[in-house]
Amino acid sequence: MASLILLRHGKSAYPDKVRDHDRPLAPRGLRQAKLAGTAIRRYGHTVDLVLCSTAERARATLAQAEVAAPVRYIEDLYGASGEEILAIVDAERGDAETVLVVGHEPGVADAAQLLDPTFTLTKFPTSAFAVVEDGHAELHIPR
């Protein structure tokens, strides 16, 4: 069964004179990202492929999450809409059963909702992830 995991990057810092794309994770974001990786592994999925935004905070989230899978850094994931995320997944997936996307809001939540119209939420927290299987999306907030 093909699965998609949509992970929002961890809480970012806002240092002066650093452009948005280059913002690092805040200390809280580093902790969150590690917890997200643990939760993904605990959920029982073996990730076959990671598609990660090139933004520093997304790359750092992936590094902290310690996901053992091939990684493709995709510049177009930065600022991507839900439709764009799903098109990238379709183009890059190949024969990967479980794909992890490390991206940004609102794109990750929109992608989950496109795959599961009943998936509604008011906020997709940092380092939270949605697992989408068989047209059903389930949000996980690592603690």
Side-chain angles (χ1 to χ4, degrees), residues 17-86:
K17 299 182 183 176
V18 173
R19 66 186 186 118
D20 185 72
H21 190 274
D22 298 333
R23 285 190 293 129
L25 290 179
R28 183 175 108 195
L30 292 167
R31 290 188 304 274
Q32 289 176 325
K34 195 166 276 298
L35 289 170
T38 300
I40 289 168
R41 286 186 294 279
R42 192 174 351 155
Y43 192 80
H45 285 286
T46 300
V47 175
D48 301 308
L49 175 64
V50 178
L51 304 176
C52 184
S53 163
T54 56
E56 176 57 32
R57 59 193 179 275
R59 296 170 72 98
T61 297
L62 178 59
Q64 289 296 310
E66 299 177 336
V67 175
V71 178
R72 295 184 194 144
Y73 294 99
I74 311 285
E75 190 165 339
D76 288 344
L77 284 173
Y78 177 70
S81 68
E83 293 91 355
E84 291 165 332
I85 290 172
L86 296 179

